[in-house]
Amino acid sequence: MHRRIQPSDVFEPVKGLYSQVIAVAEGPRYEIAGTLPYHPDGGLDEPLATQAQVVMDNLGRSLASAGLERSDVVRVQIYTTRMDEFLRTALDVVFGWFGDARPTSTLVEVSRLANPKVLVEIDASAVGVPRGSAE
């Protein structure tokens, strides 16, 4: 289990969405590559909020393939080409997916991702002992 720390003397610009510090006590570390908003059949939707939901679904699949759960994620790096739209429409999609787990996070706007039609990409770090059967 991870211990989430929210220092009382550090400004929290977006209250409750992420953890400032996570202490990791045990378990192997997993690095999940930049997760893209492609459907399993290769399809790609346009709205940013929809792309964010597909990214989170794909992240869930990646975690499950290693026997992990969303609560094992300790850090996410979010890259978007449309920051204002992301803040309006996708912020709750991404952080809502984690529930109370609240990983540490970084959110940056970039001028372009590998495919110019991709509006959001998220990579993650997870720590945990696999549950169930991993692929």
Side-chain angles (χ1 to χ4, degrees), residues 1 7 18 34 36 41 47 52-53 79 84 89 91 100-101 103-104 108 112 114 117-119 127:
M1 186 52 96
Y18 64 91
L36 298 168
D41 66 2
Q53 184 60 59
Y79 309 94
D84 292 338
T89 68
L91 190 71
D100 292 333
T104 62
V108 296
R112 184 188 150 168
K117 293 181 181 180
V118 170
L119 308 175
V127 176

Side-chain angles (χ1 to χ4, degrees), residues 67-129:
L68 301 172
E69 299 173 356
R70 59 187 77 187
S71 61
D72 295 316
V73 175
V74 295
R75 179 156 185 74
V76 292
Q77 291 81 227
I78 306 163
Y79 309 94
T80 182
T81 58
R82 299 181 183 171
M83 182 64 77
D84 292 338
E85 183 180 351
F86 183 91
L87 293 172
R88 274 192 328 274
T89 68
L91 190 71
D92 289 340
V93 171
V94 171
F95 288 101
W97 187 84
F98 289 104
D100 292 333
R102 294 176 29 185
T104 62
S105 68
T106 300
L107 170 61
V108 296
E109 183 176 40
V110 295
S111 62
R112 184 188 150 168
L113 293 163
N115 176 341
K117 293 181 181 180
V118 170
L119 308 175
V120 62
E121 179 174 344
I122 300 175
D123 60 59
S125 299
V127 176
V129 177

Side-chain angles (χ1 to χ4, degrees), residues 6-8 10-18 102:
Q6 207 64 40
S8 61
V10 172
F11 178 69
E12 187 179 357
V14 185
K15 297 217 181 288
L17 289 183
Y18 64 91
R102 294 176 29 185

Side-chain angles (χ1 to χ4, degrees), residues 17-40:
L17 289 183
Y18 64 91
S19 297
Q20 190 69 29
V21 178
I22 296 180
V24 177
E26 61 184 54
R29 183 177 188 94
Y30 297 82
E31 298 295 333
I32 296 93
T35 303
L36 298 168
Y38 293 104
H39 293 282

